[in-house]
Amino acid sequence: MKTVSMIVPCFNEQESVPIYFKAITKVFEDPQMKDYTLELWFIDDGSSDATLNELKTLNAQHPETAHYISFSRNFGKESAILAGLEAATGEIVGLMDVDLQDPPELLPKMLRELHTGEYDAIGTRRVGREGEPAFRSFLSNMFYKLINKISKVEIVPNARDYRVMTRKVVNAVLNLPERNRFSKGIFSWVGFKTKYLDFENRERVAGNTSWSIWQLFEYSLEAIIDFSTAPLAIASFIGIFACVVSVIAVIFIIIRTLFFGATTAGWPSLAAIILFIGGIQLFCLGILGNYVGRIYSESKHRPVYVVSEKK
Ligand code: UDP
Ligand code: MG
């Protein structure tokens, strides 16, 4: 018998929770899954609806299977994942969304792949992004291209958080002390052999996605800053480039003055250049500031989440 701990972050998911529970338990009732026991860790990420009540009901009915951790406020999905990884007791640990966008039917196949012993983790990738605004898909494709160019850690395009992994991988992930956590990067940073299975994109069963374009942008920025120092190099490059241009300009001005005499004209272009350089300086300071901000927030050593209830 192997225990499979599934970590399920929930943020305002009162409708999805019971539907999800039915679907996942059904998968584990199948005879081919008889070697596995399910342990669920629902993380209520500061929901303002009845999600916690739903989780309490499940826990009361199935105290062995359905556990929950409730956060004191919304800390974000990454914090929920960490809380789950810390609480999970299984030899196999998985991550899964509660909205059934991660198909439970795929789980037996994922566990079979893991069971072969050839891989330490089985991830998933969704193909097709129907039901998603074209602009959003475009932005997300751009993001994957960019991050894989500038980061040494490979971020698999369209990979979901939906995955199962062995205890070995979980322990490695838990060993990373950082507070700003970008899971997709962390799982790839720790290494180990991972196989990706594809599945068709599907719509959520209930509720709405809680990600706005702006949040996705911030999430991308976090990924870039956590896993790449390329923006710092770009800032230096822009600085050097501006210096070279200004040296060339000075030489040009000296030669022109020597051969054609001094002119007083040209102050508008001068003003424009000053503005331009000022802008570049602020831009580079901004990049630097983002990294310093990260260092500041890491150095405060605040916990990643605060638990109000656990069962
Ligand atoms: N989620 C969370 N905290 C948040 C936002 C989302 O725990 O602050 C959970 C949410 O309940 C769901 C999963 O993370 O189980 C994925 O969220 P969502 O479906 O909104 O994202 P999408 O599938 O659109 O990427
Ligand atoms: Mg979803």
Side-chain angles (χ1 to χ4, degrees):
M1 254 332 198
K2 275 190 174 163
T3 304
V4 180
S5 307
M6 294 305 294
I7 298 162
V8 194
C10 309
F11 178 52
N12 293 340
E13 304 274 10
Q14 55 181 19
E15 288 104 11
S16 311
V17 167
I19 306 176
Y20 169 82
F21 185 77
K22 251 195 212 117
I24 190 82
T25 42
K26 195 171 154 231
V27 167
F28 276 81
E29 276 159 17
D30 195 288
Q32 60 163 336
M33 298 282 276
K34 65 179 186 325
D35 294 336
Y36 299 103
T37 0
L38 173 66
E39 172 189 80
L40 284 168
W41 280 100
F42 291 102
I43 319 294
D44 167 36
D45 187 11
S47 302
S48 53
D49 64 357
T51 300
L52 183 57
N53 284 338
E54 292 290 341
L55 298 181
K56 282 182 175 167
T57 313
L58 283 182
N59 175 259
Q61 290 165 352
H62 313 271
E64 298 295 314
T65 311
H67 304 270
Y68 65 86
I69 298 175
S70 177
F71 285 176
S72 58
R73 64 168 169 87
N74 180 249
F75 281 92
K77 188 181 177 187
E78 296 293 338
S79 309
I81 290 175
L82 179 65
L85 289 176
E86 283 172 346
T89 64
E91 290 149 74
I92 298 171
V93 179
L95 305 178
M96 197 168 182
D97 286 0
V98 74
D99 56 15
L100 292 184
Q101 276 186 311
D102 299 334
E105 318 84 78
L106 196 62
L107 203 54
K109 187 165 178 217
M110 292 163 75
L111 290 172
R112 268 203 306 277
E113 292 281 357
L114 197 65
H115 185 71
T116 61
E118 232 174 290
Y119 302 96
D120 300 297
I122 309 295
T124 59
R125 232 173 356 209
R126 62 171 175 174
V127 290
R129 277 176 168 255
E130 291 92 40
E132 189 185 60
F135 184 58
R136 224 177 151 121
S137 314
F138 168 76
L139 286 183
S140 104
N141 285 339
M142 291 278 293
F143 163 70
Y144 284 119
K145 283 220 175 84
L146 178 72
I147 184 103
N148 280 320
K149 271 238 160 65
I150 64 176
S151 163
K152 287 198 185 80
V153 166
E154 197 204 353
I155 312 284
V156 177
N158 296 324
R160 300 276 305 171
D161 287 327
Y162 188 21
R163 52 163 50 235
V164 290
M165 55 210 152
T166 57
R167 190 37 55 193
K168 197 161 71 173
V169 180
V170 176
N171 289 344
V173 170
L174 288 176
N175 258 331
L176 296 194
E178 61 217 74
R179 270 134 241 276
N180 292 302
R181 299 186 80 91
F182 175 67
S183 289
K184 287 193 173 90
I186 286 177
F187 287 128
S188 132
W189 187 93
V190 295
F192 298 108
K193 275 195 167 163
T194 307
K195 178 173 185 168
Y196 283 89
L197 303 179
D198 290 338
F199 70 86
E200 275 298 321
N201 185 37
R202 50 186 76 194
E203 312 247 342
R204 40 164 54 240
V205 278
N208 284 313
T209 175
S210 41
W211 292 85
S212 64
I213 291 259
W214 177 246
Q215 279 171 317
L216 284 174
F217 176 72
E218 282 190 327
Y219 185 66
S220 315
L221 211 62
E222 180 162 322
I224 290 171
I225 291 175
D226 285 354
F227 282 91
S228 166
T229 49
L232 293 173
I234 295 170
S236 322
F237 175 78
I238 294 176
I240 292 168
F241 180 74
C243 282
V244 171
V245 170
S246 68
V247 168
I248 293 172
V250 166
I251 294 171
F252 171 76
I253 290 166
I254 291 174
I255 292 174
R256 193 177 63 172
T257 313
L258 284 180
F259 289 97
F260 303 100
T263 49
T264 47
W267 66 267
S269 52
L270 205 62
I273 291 166
I274 290 173
L275 264 182
F276 177 67
I277 302 289
I280 289 177
Q281 282 175 342
L282 284 179
F283 174 70
C284 295
L285 262 182
I287 293 178
L288 202 62
N290 262 305
Y291 283 88
V292 176
R294 288 282 138 153
I295 299 171
Y296 177 57
S297 74
E298 290 283 341
S299 70
K300 281 191 282 195
H301 293 296
R302 286 192 180 153
V304 179
Y305 55 85
V306 176
V307 173
S308 85
E309 259 181 80
K310 184 175 174 184
K311 218 162 186 169

